[in-house]
Amino acid sequence: MQAQILLTVNGAKHLIAKALVEHIDFNKRVYIAYGTTNNYILHHLEIKTDSLYAAGCNVNAKFNVTTNRDNVIILQNGMLVDIKDFDINENDIFIKGANALWYENGKKHAAVAAADPNGGTYGNLYIKAVCRGTDIIIPVGHEKLIPYFVETSQNVDFATGSKIAMLKFFKGKVFTEIEAFKTLFNLEAKVILAGGLEECKGSVGFLVEGENVKQAIEFAEKYNNLNILKTAEFIY
C-alpha cells in the first residue's frame, strides 16, 4: 500500500523524536545536546525544561542565539542525572541536532551552525564524544535539506544576526524522517516535495509504502499542528 503524507515542521520533529525514543536504549547513559528536534525528544520522554531547549535558531529574521538555557540533559537508566563534567565514554549515547542536511554519494550528511567562537556544543561536546568512541545520533529533518555543503566560518564582514561557522559532522548516524518512518511503522519513505504556506511553511511531502500506512497518516494528523516549543529570549 502506498500513501502520500505531508509533514509540517512540527509533525516531522514529532516523528523523528518519537522514533528515537523507541530506538534508543535508555538503559545506557544518554546525553541530549541542545536543539529544537531534541526538544521534541524531551517532550516524548515527558521531561520538562524551563525554556526553549536550543542554543540558537533562525528567528526574528536573524541567525540568533538564546541568552538563557537549561543545563544539558543527561539520562542514566532513564533518570535525570547531574554530571558536572562531560565524562562521556564508548558505552554512552550522544544526541546532537543539526542545521543542514544533504546527500552525497548516496549517503546522508549533516552540519551544524556555531555562533560560539569556541565551537559551542560541537567543540565542547561532539569532539569529545567522537574521540571517546561514543555512539552518536544526529536527528535532522528534510526542512533543513541543502544542495551541498559550503564551508563557511565566522570570518565574514556582515551577518544578519550572529556570525556563524558551519561545522560538518564526520561521525554519527544521521536520523531523518525516512529512518523514523521505518522505525515506527516499518514503512519505506521517499521525499517528493517541500514547502508550503502559513502553518505548512517548511513542510515536506513523503511517498510511503508498506502495511502500516494508516497508522502513519493518523500520526501526521495528530502531531502536525502540535507545537511544543517554548518561548525564549534571544541576542538579536
Side-chain angles (χ1 to χ4, degrees):
M1 182 181 295
Q2 286 188 333
Q4 297 166 345
I5 298 178
L6 185 70
L7 288 179
T8 64
V9 172
N10 286 316
K13 291 180 185 295
H14 278 293
L15 181 77
I16 293 169
K18 183 68 172 175
L20 283 175
V21 167
E22 293 198 8
H23 171 75
I24 291 171
D25 182 4
F26 283 96
N27 290 319
K28 294 185 176 183
R29 186 165 58 181
V30 181
Y31 293 75
I32 306 176
Y34 301 116
T36 54
T37 303
N38 288 359
N39 210 147
Y40 282 72
I41 294 174
L42 298 181
H43 171 79
H44 285 279
L45 289 171
E46 299 183 351
I47 297 174
K48 296 181 179 181
T49 58
D50 293 329
S51 59
L52 177 69
Y53 194 71
C57 60
N58 300 332
V59 66
N60 302 326
K62 303 286 178 69
F63 302 122
N64 230 315
V65 177
T66 52
T67 57
N68 297 296
R69 63 194 69 143
D70 294 76
N71 293 328
V72 172
I73 299 292
I74 306 169
L75 302 174
Q76 192 157 9
N77 296 320
M79 303 295 292
L80 285 166
V81 293
D82 183 14
I83 300 176
K84 294 181 179 180
D85 296 325
F86 190 68
D87 187 25
I88 202 165
N89 62 53
E90 70 277 7
N91 298 315
D92 298 334
I93 298 172
F94 180 55
I95 307 173
K96 179 76 180 84
N99 297 102
L101 165 71
W102 71 97
Y103 288 73
E104 187 176 324
N105 297 323
K107 295 183 178 180
K108 299 182 185 70
H109 299 266
V112 67
D116 184 338
N118 294 317
T121 54
Y122 183 101
N124 298 327
L125 308 182
Y126 173 73
I127 295 298
K128 186 178 286 187
V130 171
C131 290
R132 299 188 178 184
T134 305
D135 184 11
I136 299 170
I137 301 173
I138 305 162
V140 57
H142 280 82
E143 58 154 321
K144 297 177 180 178
L145 187 67
I146 62 173
Y148 49 84
F149 179 72
V150 176
E151 292 187 4
T152 181
S153 72
Q154 297 166 0
N155 186 27
V156 294
D157 297 315
F158 176 80
T160 52
S162 298
K163 295 180 180 181
I164 60 171
M166 291 303 297
L167 306 175
K168 186 187 296 186
F169 292 111
F170 52 90
K171 184 181 184 299
K173 178 182 180 181
V174 178
F175 196 96
T176 72
E177 301 97 328
I178 292 174
E179 287 73 26
F181 274 118
K182 186 68 174 178
T183 299
L184 281 180
F185 307 113
N186 196 29
L187 294 175
E188 301 298 327
K190 296 178 181 179
V191 177
I192 57 174
L193 60 80
L197 297 176
E198 297 178 351
E199 74 279 0
C200 287
K201 290 179 180 177
S203 295
V204 178
F206 295 88
L207 175 67
V208 300
E209 184 171 2
E211 297 300 319
N212 299 317
V213 165
K214 182 179 179 181
Q215 291 94 318
I217 293 173
E218 291 174 347
F219 186 97
E221 291 175 344
K222 179 178 179 180
Y223 287 108
N224 266 343
N225 293 319
L226 183 57
N227 182 358
I228 59 91
L229 299 178
K230 295 183 178 181
T231 58
E233 294 183 0
F234 296 93
I235 290 177
Y236 293 97

